[in-house]
């Protein structure tokens, strides 16, 4: 028969450490140590003349593919092993970490007991990275297309062609069989290097390199026109090329904050930064008391 | 032609609270109060709109826990008893207040109201409110979003991908079972987003979700239109950002409409004001005072001095506030339309329980709002999020930022010194569940039942509500008990399954009590 006061079982079956972000500047770490590892800890720290400090070693893996050695930096947080969990304040938001629970021995040695999951801390402000690519997603994911418009900021910002029209353009082309399972996304095309339509072959660059994507820097050539999409028959290419040439002619503005404007009085549309507006209003709301309950 | 769109989203959720083992459960009251004050009143508003051919579009997320409670015959019959008890109390109040005209009038109004609620529940809806929502969806008037099985706070469960996937898959499977189709949109519990959850939604065919403002404004790369157009995750899932302006006007405890002095005061209930012997048959049998729902005062002012409630004044205020809300949205849309290349969309999600429970006049406000939107104004139109995506299938690609709609916008509410003890258990249990489901030999019938029940117990332990209550202090004891109970039952079951020593009698008892998703398949 069930006993309501029965305590939950002690849970350290294996030595493990888990990292949970709380907010941009705070993470929670909990760990458990299996019995045989406790003996090991006793052995490491019990040697005469040696002191072993339990630590959480934080590896900053924000920009790297972490293999255990390539972290861009690391730091230790000294802990009391018996505590079982710890809160750690961090200086910078939007970082990815992986941590080792271990013993730091005198002389700089490190004895690892467990490695955590990788986890990311949240962003604390909007991104500076301005890059527009668009995704067309039709009902039930029957078609998903990536579209990267020109980056060049312009001032005669006119209305974009109706997105619906772009949809029509795609829909008219019955080039692929329908997915087998219409409800579950049956297909998702990944972006591949562009198939170059003849008309705009000169201005179509290749895909950005990984490093460019990482740092958000644009190759100046690429700024002229970037247009990536999946391979499709020639007729489709021609129509898309026409669409983009028309857009170029209309000198459409895409990037609200892109630099390089030569007009001292940018248009209303360029000055409007709706992300900043939304963000400010959100912050104001945080301080004015939200949920009434 | 409309210059922009407004999408109002009601997030209707309650944790699974069902205690057949008790004669009277204080916690079940949350459900009965919400049926009386929120769900039936909102449905009746929709019925009125439909009868008078007022066109509208609204969005609801009805969580699987709430839906299964609304469909539960045991809770339905207890609700009926409850509303009948309220009718009796109102009758008694009519007699008691015979010489206090301002209260007497209110007692009569409550009596009328409870009678009509009972009539709606029993006759109009045949006890099944879910069917009423389903019908409005079939009529194209509302869109119902799917949600996670038991409102698990997914960012903190994500250490086990399988736990998050199970919450999503079961929530959607249950939706399909009840509503006869798969949902296009998914309500992330507490708007809790972590990178990767969109891919899991996508695997289940989900087209969009809603995030707190900063989930979108801090997306990478920077969204061009702030929260006034959705972004597409690289996975293809669209995310809509909550508009901070419209949410503050309704939500804020400082500036929000619900604090108006003419509105009904929530904290003055006869359940606390009157003599306990008089109340005894209508409160908890142990003599514990509860909210009865009979409240006679208006907010009046900032002090404890309260004046009698005047329904006409309150109704009038609800209408004024509806106009004010529309006026502000019009101004907003006019500005946004002047700087955007498309029609702006304002997404305004609220906890449904605000409307009618905390803010008694909320349903009246919705009624006025929808009617005013439908006539004599051209700049802004109500829309569902699916309709918006049909019109605008091409959206900027950006990865949303980690966020929630909890206090401070991250995980603080659900992970702090008061409730962090839960997670090692939730993670460990999810690990065990994974292993149980990978069992080699084909399980027998009893084992299948035990597996399904273990899964239910784990789901129930994962509800974000418990950590929330423990953090807020109110109902912390109950929430702790519930968390421990489900974890303990899970551990027991998993052990019995592993040792092939299933106690059928114990299992049957738990199946009867924790009977959510009764047709749940084991994997």
């Amino acid at each position: 028969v069930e006993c309501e006061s029965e305590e939950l079982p002690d849970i350290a079956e294996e030595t493990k450490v888990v990292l949970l972000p709380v907010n941009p500047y705070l993470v929670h770490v909990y760990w458990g140590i299996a019995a045989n590892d406790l003996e090991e800890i006793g052995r490491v720290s019990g040697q005469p003349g040696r002191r072993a400090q339990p630590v959480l070693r934080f590896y900053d893996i924000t920009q790297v593919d972490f293999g255990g050695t390539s972290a861009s930096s690391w730091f230790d947080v000294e802990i009391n092993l018996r505590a079982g969990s710890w809160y750690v304040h961090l200086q910078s938001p939007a970082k990815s970490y992986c941590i080792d629970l271990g013993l730091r021995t005198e002389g700089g040695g490190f004895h690892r007991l467990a490695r955590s999951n990788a986890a990311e801390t949240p962003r604390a402000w909007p991104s500076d990275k301005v890059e527009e690519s668009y995704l067309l997603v039709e009902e039930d994911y029957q078609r998903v297309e990536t579209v990267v418009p020109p980056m060049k900021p312009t001032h005669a910002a006119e209305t974009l062609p109706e997105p619906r029209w772009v949809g029509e353009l795609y829909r008219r082309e019955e080039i692929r069989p329908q997915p087998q399972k219409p409800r579950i996304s049956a297909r998702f095309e990944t972006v591949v290097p562009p198939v170059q339509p003849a008309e705009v072959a000169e201005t179509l660059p290749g895909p950005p390199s990984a490093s460019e994507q990482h740092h958000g820097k644009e190759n100046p050539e690429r700024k002229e026109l970037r247009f990536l999409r999946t391979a499709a028959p020639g007729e489709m290419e021609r129509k898309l090329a026409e669409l983009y040439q028309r857009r170029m002619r209309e000198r459409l503005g895409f990037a609200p904050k892109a630099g390089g404007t030569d007009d001292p009085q940018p248009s209303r549309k360029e000055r409007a930064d709706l992300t900043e507006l939304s963000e400010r209003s959100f912050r104001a709301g945080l301080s004015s008391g939200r949920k009434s309950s | 032609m409309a210059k922009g769109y407004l999408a109002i989203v009601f997030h209707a959720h309650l944790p699974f609270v069902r205690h057949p083992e008790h004669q009277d459960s204080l916690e079940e009251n949350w459900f009965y109060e919400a049926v009386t004050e929120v769900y039936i009143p909102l449905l009746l508003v929709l019925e009125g709109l439909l009868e008078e051919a007022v066109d509208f579009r609204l969005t609801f997320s009805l969580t699987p826990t709430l839906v299964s409670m609304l469909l539960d015959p045991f809770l339905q019959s207890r609700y009926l008893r409850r509303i009948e008890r309220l009718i009796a109390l109102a009758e008694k109040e009519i007699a008691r207040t015979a010489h206090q005209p301002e209260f007497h009038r209110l007692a009569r109004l409550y009596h009328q109201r409870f009678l009509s609620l009972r009539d709606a529940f029993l006759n109009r809806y045949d006890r099944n409110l879910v069917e009423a929502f389903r019908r409005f969806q079939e009529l194209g008037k509302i869109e119902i979003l799917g949600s996670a099985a038991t409102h698990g706070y997914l960012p903190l469960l994500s250490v086990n991908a399988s736990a998050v996937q199970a919450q999503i898959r079961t929530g959607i499977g249950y939706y399909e079972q009840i509503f006869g189709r798969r949902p296009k949109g998914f309500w992330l519990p507490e708007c809790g987003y972590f990178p990767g959850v969109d891919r899991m939604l996508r695997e289940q065919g989900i087209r969009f979700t809603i995030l707190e403002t900063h989930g979108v404004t801090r997306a990478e790369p920077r969204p061009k239109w702030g929260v006034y157009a959705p972004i597409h995750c690289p996975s293809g899932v669209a995310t809509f950002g909550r508009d901070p302006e419209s949410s503050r006007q309704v939500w804020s405890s400082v500036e929000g409409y619900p604090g108006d002095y003419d509105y009904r005061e929530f904290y003055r209930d006869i359940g606390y004001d009157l003599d306990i012997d008089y109340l005894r048959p209508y409160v908890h049998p142990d003599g514990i005072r509860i909210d009865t729902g009979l409240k006679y005062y208006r907010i009046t002012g900032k002090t404890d001095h309260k004046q009698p409630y005047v329904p006409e004044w309150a109704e009038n205020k609800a209408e004024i506030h509806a106009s004010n809300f529309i006026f502000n949205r019009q101004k907003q849309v006019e500005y946004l339309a002047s700087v955007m290349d498309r029609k702006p969309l304002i997404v305004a999600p609220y906890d449904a329980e605000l409307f009618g429970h905390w803010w008694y006049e909320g349903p009246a406000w919705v009624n006025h709002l929808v009617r005013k939107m439908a006539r004599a104004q051209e700049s802004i139109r109500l829309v569902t999020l699916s309709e918006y995506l049909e019109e605008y299938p091409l959206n900027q690609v950006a990865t949303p930022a980690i966020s929630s709609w909890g206090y401070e916008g991250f995980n603080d509410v659900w992970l702090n010194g008061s409730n962090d003890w839960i997670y090692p258990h939730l993670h460990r249990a999810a690990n065990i569940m994974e292993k149980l489901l990978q069992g080699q030999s084909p399980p027998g019938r009893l084992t299948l039942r035990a597996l399904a029940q273990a899964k239910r117990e784990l789901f129930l332990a994962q509800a974000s509500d418990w950590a929330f209550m423990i953090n807020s202090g109110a109902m912390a004891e109950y929430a702790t008990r519930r968390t421990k109970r489900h974890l303990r039952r899970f551990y027991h079951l998993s052990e019995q399954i592993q040792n092939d020593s299933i106690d059928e009698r114990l299992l049957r008892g738990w199946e009867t009590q924790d009977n959510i998703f009764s047709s749940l398949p084991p994997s």
Side-chain angles (χ1 to χ4, degrees):
Chain A
V1 160
E2 195 180 17
C3 175
E4 281 283 317
S5 62
E6 184 188 331
E7 275 307 308
L8 295 173
D10 191 8
I11 61 175
E13 289 156 345
E14 51 177 358
T15 301
K16 66 180 227 172
V17 56
V18 175
L19 170 61
L20 298 171
V22 178
N23 64 41
Y25 303 100
L26 185 69
V27 295
H28 176 68
V29 183
Y30 74 81
W31 59 87
I33 300 183
N36 54 339
D37 279 322
L38 273 176
E39 287 167 24
E40 172 106 357
I41 293 164
R43 200 180 49 77
V44 171
S45 52
Q47 289 166 19
R50 291 189 69 184
R51 203 180 135 264
Q53 172 63 47
V55 294
L56 300 172
R57 180 158 292 185
F58 278 70
Y59 299 99
D60 182 344
I61 54 167
T62 310
Q63 300 279 345
V64 290
D65 187 14
F66 186 55
T69 51
S70 58
S72 54
S73 65
W74 57 264
F75 59 89
D76 284 348
V77 174
E78 298 187 355
I79 52 165
N80 176 347
L81 217 48
R82 285 167 193 275
S85 70
W86 215 255
Y87 286 88
V88 180
H89 287 275
L90 299 167
Q91 298 258 322
S92 319
K95 298 271 186 198
S96 292
Y97 297 99
C98 174
I99 55 180
D100 280 345
L101 169 69
L103 301 172
R104 192 180 58 209
T105 51
E106 278 177 5
F110 184 72
H111 180 86
R112 185 170 87 200
L113 296 164
R115 172 161 292 177
S116 79
N117 54 313
E120 212 177 311
T121 56
R123 287 184 167 279
W125 51 78
S127 165
D128 293 334
K129 187 174 163 188
V130 177
E131 176 197 287
E132 283 178 60
S133 62
Y134 284 75
L135 199 60
L136 177 92
V137 182
E138 287 183 0
E139 178 145 7
D140 291 342
Y141 293 100
Q142 290 190 23
R143 184 166 291 286
V144 181
E145 297 284 350
T146 302
V147 179
V148 182
M151 283 297 284
K152 189 164 181 172
T154 57
H155 324 306
E158 307 246 335
T159 312
L160 283 166
E162 277 289 320
R164 186 183 276 291
W165 183 81
V166 179
E168 289 298 328
L169 181 73
Y170 283 96
R171 262 192 287 273
R172 276 199 296 273
E173 296 289 329
E174 291 295 334
I175 52 169
R176 277 169 228 219
Q178 289 296 305
Q180 292 293 309
K181 290 181 286 181
R183 270 182 182 148
I184 295 170
S185 48
R187 185 195 303 119
F188 175 50
E189 289 94 20
T190 48
V191 177
V192 298
V195 175
Q196 302 191 353
E199 292 92 333
V200 287
E202 302 295 309
T203 51
L204 277 170
S209 70
S211 66
E212 280 169 330
Q213 278 179 331
H214 250 290
H215 302 293
K217 286 184 186 136
E218 277 292 324
N219 178 330
E221 274 178 32
R222 203 153 278 134
K223 280 192 180 178
E224 282 298 307
L225 174 66
R226 294 215 287 122
F227 166 39
L228 307 180
R229 49 167 273 99
T230 52
E235 173 66 5
M236 179 79 141
E237 291 302 330
R238 199 181 54 72
K239 285 183 180 175
L240 282 165
E242 274 173 14
L243 167 67
Y244 276 93
Q245 283 198 320
R246 186 155 53 242
R247 282 195 180 174
M248 285 292 281
R249 277 200 300 278
E250 288 165 353
R251 293 174 61 78
L252 300 172
F254 273 88
K257 280 195 73 184
T261 172
D262 51 13
D263 186 337
Q265 286 201 309
S267 76
R268 184 175 162 82
K269 292 196 185 207
E270 277 171 82
R271 277 178 291 142
D273 183 343
L274 297 183
T275 289
E276 187 63 29
L277 183 83
S278 312
E279 173 76 17
R280 278 203 200 140
S281 176
F282 168 69
R283 284 171 187 254
L286 279 183
S287 56
S288 78
R290 286 190 303 150
K291 294 196 182 187
S292 49
S293 52
Chain B
M1 207 174 86
K3 285 188 187 137
Y5 294 118
L6 170 65
I8 295 182
V9 182
F10 297 104
H11 171 52
H13 164 67
L14 283 178
F16 189 76
V17 173
R18 181 178 176 278
H19 293 289
E21 73 275 23
H22 299 309
Q23 273 297 311
D24 197 306
S25 152
L26 285 172
E27 291 77 20
E28 275 177 16
N29 284 343
W30 305 333
F31 174 70
Y32 306 134
E33 284 175 10
V35 171
T36 301
E37 295 171 344
V38 182
Y39 311 135
I40 298 180
L42 279 177
L43 278 171
L44 292 179
V45 165
L46 303 190
E47 301 287 359
L49 296 169
L50 193 66
E51 278 155 24
E52 291 166 51
V54 180
D55 194 24
F56 65 94
R57 296 285 184 280
L58 296 169
T59 303
F60 285 82
S61 69
L62 303 174
T63 61
T65 47
L66 175 61
V67 169
S68 59
M69 288 161 79
L70 287 170
L71 290 173
D72 187 276
F74 169 80
L75 290 176
Q76 288 170 352
S77 63
R78 271 200 177 175
Y79 175 71
L80 193 61
R81 218 170 68 199
R82 187 59 62 106
I83 188 81
E84 278 165 358
R85 202 166 88 179
L86 272 181
I87 292 166
L89 176 60
E91 277 165 10
K92 200 168 157 182
E93 277 296 278
I94 290 172
R96 185 187 65 87
T97 56
H99 301 292
Q100 299 166 287
E102 70 271 37
F103 296 137
H104 186 70
R105 184 169 157 256
L106 292 172
R108 284 192 175 281
L109 284 174
Y110 278 121
H111 185 242
Q112 265 310 309
R113 178 179 160 85
F114 295 147
L115 282 174
S116 66
L117 289 172
R118 180 182 176 278
D119 179 59
F121 182 72
L122 210 52
N123 303 322
R124 181 163 211 156
Y125 297 125
D126 197 17
R127 305 184 183 205
N128 187 340
L129 303 187
V130 176
E131 173 58 23
F133 283 107
R134 194 193 67 83
R135 188 166 47 85
F136 280 111
Q137 170 156 271
E138 292 307 311
L139 291 169
K141 300 296 182 189
I142 69 171
E143 174 167 28
I144 303 174
L145 309 182
S147 191
T150 56
H151 218 255
Y153 186 62
L154 307 182
L156 293 176
L157 300 181
S158 65
V159 173
N160 309 87
S162 67
V164 177
Q165 284 160 337
Q167 278 275 343
I168 294 172
R169 210 173 41 235
T170 302
I172 292 173
Y174 187 64
Y175 181 107
E176 193 173 15
Q177 193 183 328
I178 302 300
F179 295 108
R181 55 160 105 167
R182 286 176 79 84
K184 292 186 172 154
F186 189 92
W187 179 268
L188 285 171
E190 318 289 4
C191 297
Y193 174 86
F194 66 93
V197 74
D198 51 296
R199 283 196 302 275
M200 298 180 188
L201 295 177
R202 167 70 198 270
E203 282 162 15
Q204 295 297 317
I206 291 295
R207 181 67 184 85
F208 66 87
T209 188
I210 300 165
L211 303 184
E212 177 58 289
T213 311
H214 59 311
V216 171
T217 57
R218 299 176 195 175
E220 162 110 2
R222 188 184 182 98
K224 189 174 178 187
W225 304 129
V227 294
Y228 302 107
I231 52 174
H232 272 149
C233 302
S235 62
V237 170
T239 61
F240 294 90
R242 183 189 201 192
D243 169 44
E245 297 297 321
S246 50
S247 79
R248 189 160 26 155
Q249 271 189 315
V250 176
W251 259 132
S252 167
S253 53
V254 185
E255 308 153 57
Y257 300 135
D260 189 279
Y261 294 164
D262 283 343
Y263 286 147
R264 196 182 77 164
E265 170 63 58
F266 179 83
Y267 293 99
R268 284 294 295 276
D269 191 291
I270 64 163
Y272 293 93
D273 283 356
L274 298 183
D275 186 75
I276 192 70
D277 289 327
Y278 171 85
L279 291 167
R280 202 168 291 281
Y282 311 100
V283 294
H284 192 271
D286 295 345
I288 302 168
R289 292 179 179 272
I290 57 166
D291 277 288
T292 62
L294 282 110
K295 301 174 200 275
Y296 292 145
Y297 295 92
R298 58 188 147 99
I299 293 172
T300 315
K302 286 184 174 22
T303 67
D304 283 344
H305 173 75
K306 301 297 174 194
Q307 294 283 338
Y309 182 62
V310 183
E312 295 77 12
W313 295 3
E315 177 74 22
N316 186 39
K317 266 295 158 62
E319 184 170 358
I320 291 171
H321 285 158
S323 296
N324 176 270
F325 186 83
I326 294 173
F327 174 81
N328 282 303
R329 299 293 79 74
Q330 283 169 333
K331 292 288 154 215
Q332 210 179 351
V333 158
E334 276 162 25
Y335 166 72
L336 293 168
S338 77
V339 298
M340 287 172 69
D341 65 358
R342 53 157 81 192
K343 292 178 191 172
L345 167 69
I346 294 169
V347 179
Y350 306 105
D351 269 341
E353 288 70 29
L354 175 70
F355 294 84
H357 181 65
W358 299 106
W359 180 20
Y360 185 61
E361 297 78 5
W365 179 83
V366 173
N367 187 30
H368 288 298
L369 181 75
V370 172
R371 286 165 192 268
K372 284 172 194 291
M373 293 280 297
R375 63 169 187 252
Q377 69 89 29
E378 292 183 339
S379 54
I380 186 160
R381 248 184 48 208
L382 288 171
V383 74
T384 63
L385 300 175
S386 284
E387 284 175 325
Y388 181 90
L389 287 176
E390 267 168 44
E391 183 168 348
Y392 293 105
L394 184 68
N395 292 294
Q396 191 184 350
V397 179
T399 303
I402 298 168
S403 53
S404 82
W405 80 348
Y407 183 69
E408 299 294 344
F410 303 102
N411 299 342
D412 304 56
V413 170
W414 300 276
L415 177 59
N416 57 59
S418 73
N419 52 25
D420 55 20
W421 59 269
I422 298 175
Y423 299 97
H425 287 288
L426 292 183
H427 299 158
R428 175 185 184 230
N431 262 331
I432 296 173
M433 193 71 228
E434 257 175 63
K435 285 183 195 135
L436 291 178
L437 292 174
Q438 287 160 7
Q440 297 296 319
S441 55
R445 265 193 58 207
L446 188 61
T447 310
L448 279 175
R449 268 175 60 197
L451 277 171
Q453 192 59 29
K455 202 168 168 186
R456 280 185 201 104
E457 303 295 347
L458 177 57
F459 276 144
L460 290 171
Q462 286 169 339
S464 73
D465 310 86
W466 313 140
F468 181 89
M469 289 181 216
I470 293 169
N471 170 64
S472 72
M475 310 307 300
E477 197 193 321
Y478 175 76
T480 303
R481 200 162 67 232
R482 284 292 301 274
T483 307
K484 289 190 174 170
R485 172 186 300 175
H486 296 302
L487 284 168
R488 202 176 46 239
R489 289 180 180 182
F490 174 85
Y491 287 138
H492 279 302
L493 285 166
S494 68
E495 242 171 75
Q496 293 181 7
I497 293 166
Q498 279 161 336
N499 302 338
D500 201 15
S501 61
I502 297 162
D503 180 341
E504 207 267 341
R505 231 193 60 209
L506 203 60
L507 173 62
R508 197 177 332 120
W510 294 345
E511 283 173 335
T512 322
Q513 256 179 44
D514 301 332
N515 71 341
I516 192 169
F517 312 135
S518 45
S519 58
L520 185 74
S523 60

